[in-house]
Amino acid sequence: MNPFIYQSHPARVLFGPDRLDSLGDEIVRLGAGRAFVLTTPEQAGEADRIVQRIGALACGSFCGARMHTPVDVTEVAMAAVAEAGADCLIAIGGGSTIGLAKAIALRTDLPQIAIPTTYAGSEATPILGQTENGVKTTQTSPRVLPEVILYDVNLTLGLPAAMSAVSGMNAIAHAVEGLYSEQANPIISLIAQEGIRALASALPRINAAPLDVSARSGALYGAWLCGTTLGAVGMALHHKLCHALGGTFDLPHAQTHAVILPHALAYNAPFAVDAVARIGTALGRPDAAMALYGLNRSLGAPTSLRELGMPQTGLEKVIELTFAKPYWNPAPLDEARLRTLLERAWEGLPPAA
Ligand code: NAD
């Protein structure tokens, strides 16, 4: 066994149908009594329902969360939180909403209760990405890790099938890179492998029947495991490429992960033999990169950067950004191989053998 360091993060996780019923108790348990609810404009109805549900424990809401946590949005939300005299934050939504709560927690140290409604996994990480003047920067701090996560499967039933597919692939990407991470360790590898298995089993069932509660529970469980992996160990080339693509060309986050993942795994495969074997076991097929490409296709998820609106002329910029500030990666960075990876991903071709 390779030497390793394992550092756990505190987590209080409540999982199950109707978990939202516990929200009031969890606010009180935190010693709070003035909860401020955050979400996106699209989920404003959810925020209203939460405010009604917790009654006197609520002190206000802000429904302006946006992708990639723009600092100007955080500043507007901060003013509303201060005016309301909030003593805790409730984030109901996907990674964008949870990112806003983290950004406020970083500046105020207010405790957070995250109620995830996608599979992005941000709720389980001490990582915050923020965008200012078109530049996205990422930092890690225990201040941004939510104190409580409430996973209520009922809140995920309305996530459209197409978004469920790409959000699930985004989660799988965390676990794939966790298995070949520089900080890979036996506990996180168990969690990551099980996360991939749970999502790969659930996503086709959700695609066929979006209201299937058992499949939705499986996906949410997988999302938690994959998010835990992301929060515990460093990521590699796949996340670097998605960061460069999303930040520079404003591509949709989860869709970009879905497109790039099979290609990044194929690139790393010869240098991550054990990880690839475990990913293959979790997917039920030994050719892990092709299995992920096939999963994307069977779910109707995007397979090309072209269909996400990426200009082909931008590929060189992505290579430049990848070399400018590289992440640790199992395979050495090779300009020609990277160009092939990106060109195949742009075209929507299967990953290189
Ligand atoms: P998102 O939060 O932007 O959600 C996409 C859209 O779907 C939004 O309009 C949202 O309101 C809507 N939505 C969410 N749940 C829904 C539901 N159940 N039913 C109907 N609509 C729903 O998308 P995302 O992929 O969850 O998050 C992406 C963001 O999260 C990016 O900014 C990314 O950088 C960040 N992220 C951060 C981390 C981290 O650890 N810091 C991890 C993963 C993602």
Side-chain angles (χ1 to χ4, degrees):
M1 182 172 286
N2 293 328
F4 64 87
I5 296 174
Y6 170 65
Q7 170 76 53
S8 67
H9 296 300
R12 176 172 169 80
V13 177
L14 289 82
F15 189 101
D18 301 319
R19 266 302 174 194
L20 208 49
D21 292 346
S22 314
L23 180 57
D25 290 346
E26 289 300 315
I27 295 169
V28 173
R29 199 179 163 279
L30 286 171
R34 297 185 62 76
F36 193 90
V37 183
L38 300 160
T39 195
T40 57
E42 296 80 14
Q43 290 181 282
E46 294 290 2
D48 290 347
R49 279 187 282 282
I50 297 261
V51 167
Q52 278 174 15
R53 176 185 282 261
I54 60 176
L57 289 172
C59 72
S61 64
F62 175 83
C63 304
R66 292 220 328 260
M67 186 91 81
H68 305 309
T69 327
V71 168
D72 53 348
V73 172
T74 301
E75 282 165 359
V76 175
M78 286 277 296
V81 167
E83 199 183 327
D87 59 10
C88 94
L89 303 169
I90 315 273
I92 177 152
S96 297
T97 296
I98 292 166
L100 175 60
K102 288 174 156 183
I104 298 171
L106 180 72
R107 292 159 173 83
T108 61
D109 216 9
L110 286 175
Q112 307 165 67
I113 301 178
I115 309 172
T117 62
T118 70
Y119 307 130
S122 178
E123 66 279 0
T125 84
I127 305 165
L128 169 65
Q130 305 186 95
T131 314
E132 193 166 22
N133 303 323
V135 180
K136 186 167 178 178
T137 51
T138 301
Q139 59 183 293
T140 298
S141 163
R143 280 167 81 103
V144 308
L145 183 72
E147 277 70 7
V148 180
I149 310 174
L150 283 188
Y151 284 112
D152 186 330
V153 69
N154 297 335
L155 298 169
T156 64
L157 297 179
L159 187 66
M163 183 62 196
S164 302
V166 291
S167 190
M169 295 304 290
N170 181 193
I172 289 175
H174 308 327
V176 164
E177 294 229 297
L179 278 161
Y180 56 61
S181 168
E182 187 178 20
Q183 293 83 27
N185 63 69
I187 290 185
I188 292 300
S189 294
L190 286 172
I191 290 175
Q193 186 172 339
E194 171 65 357
I196 298 171
R197 187 209 58 75
L199 276 157
S201 153
L203 294 177
R205 290 185 286 139
I206 291 172
N207 204 40
L211 299 180
D212 179 336
V213 175
S214 153
R216 287 286 187 183
S217 286
L220 203 53
Y221 162 66
W224 169 44
L225 300 181
C226 293
T228 300
T229 304
L230 174 67
V233 295
M235 297 288 111
L237 178 66
H238 168 80
H239 280 74
K240 177 69 197 183
L241 291 174
C242 292
H243 191 91
L245 286 159
T248 314
F249 298 98
D250 202 25
L251 301 188
H253 178 82
Q255 288 84 341
T256 305
H257 275 266
V259 170
I260 293 294
L261 184 59
H263 299 278
L265 178 57
Y267 183 100
N268 280 328
F271 297 83
V273 175
D274 290 349
V276 171
R278 293 183 76 144
I279 297 162
T281 302
L283 294 170
R285 275 178 56 175
D287 48 346
M290 272 309 290
L292 288 171
Y293 182 77
L295 183 59
N296 261 342
R297 286 180 66 109
S298 70
L299 296 173
T303 52
S304 72
L305 293 174
R306 175 171 33 192
E307 69 195 282
L308 302 185
M310 167 82 192
Q312 192 172 14
T313 49
L315 298 182
E316 288 303 317
K317 178 77 187 165
V318 177
I319 295 172
E320 189 189 307
L321 289 169
T322 306
F323 274 95
K325 237 181 162 186
Y327 287 11
W328 178 90
N329 193 58
L333 290 190
D334 176 273
E335 196 175 319
R337 284 193 74 210
L338 263 186
R339 188 169 290 111
T340 305
L341 181 167
L342 286 168
E343 280 168 358
R344 293 182 79 88
W346 189 83
E347 291 278 4
L349 296 171

